[in-house]
Amino acid sequence: MSLNVPSALLERAEAGPVDDAEFVACVRSSLPYAWQVISGVASALGADGFAEHSVPPPSEAERGQLLRALASDAIRGGLERHFGVTLAFQNCHRVAAFAPSAVDGERYRAFVSPRGQLLNQSPLLRDC
């Protein structure tokens, strides 16, 4: 299970739409490692509109949190809206945040390209 959803929030979701603030709060409490990584890259955006995290997670549990956060369209989208960034992801731990103005830039295109993915491979990353 990706998120620990409080009963009250689940009841509101069953009755209709929930707002992003409630959803993001649920993500933050359910996936604290992923929140830490993503909030870190979002707050570290430089003048070039780019920041990245490339430290492997300390355990499989944290790796799982990051994978769940970035593999879910709803979670990833909620985080991107909350932080005002576009997230990009390689392997099981390399996360980048881009300012919206940098998304069509050279650095973004290089990060999300097949070449960028291939260059980010190493024997140490093959199990992730």
Side-chain angles (χ1 to χ4, degrees):
M1 186 164 45
S2 293
L3 301 175
N4 300 317
V5 183
S7 298
L9 181 56
L10 183 57
E11 289 172 10
R12 282 194 293 288
E14 289 170 343
V18 296
D19 67 25
D20 262 359
E22 288 180 291
F23 179 65
V24 169
C26 181
V27 170
R28 182 180 189 167
S29 66
S30 298
L31 305 172
Y33 177 78
W35 180 270
Q36 174 189 352
V37 169
I38 294 165
S39 64
V41 294
S43 66
L45 282 179
D48 60 354
F50 170 80
E52 75 175 303
H53 172 89
S54 60
V55 178
S59 75
E60 288 304 308
E62 283 89 358
R63 183 184 319 276
Q65 285 186 34
L66 201 53
L67 291 172
R68 287 193 303 277
L70 293 166
S72 164
D73 290 338
I75 295 172
R76 184 180 187 151
L79 292 169
E80 287 177 332
R81 288 187 301 277
H82 176 77
F83 290 111
V85 300
T86 295
L87 297 170
F89 186 52
Q90 288 182 347
N91 292 337
C92 55
H93 66 276
R94 190 167 179 222
V95 179
F98 291 87
S101 61
V103 169
D104 285 331
E106 185 178 323
R107 193 168 208 173
Y108 177 81
R109 287 191 307 273
F111 192 94
V112 301
S113 72
R115 179 176 187 260
Q117 181 68 47
L118 292 170
L119 293 174
N120 192 46
Q121 301 304 296
S122 80
L124 296 174
L125 300 175
R126 295 225 169 102
D127 70 337
C128 65

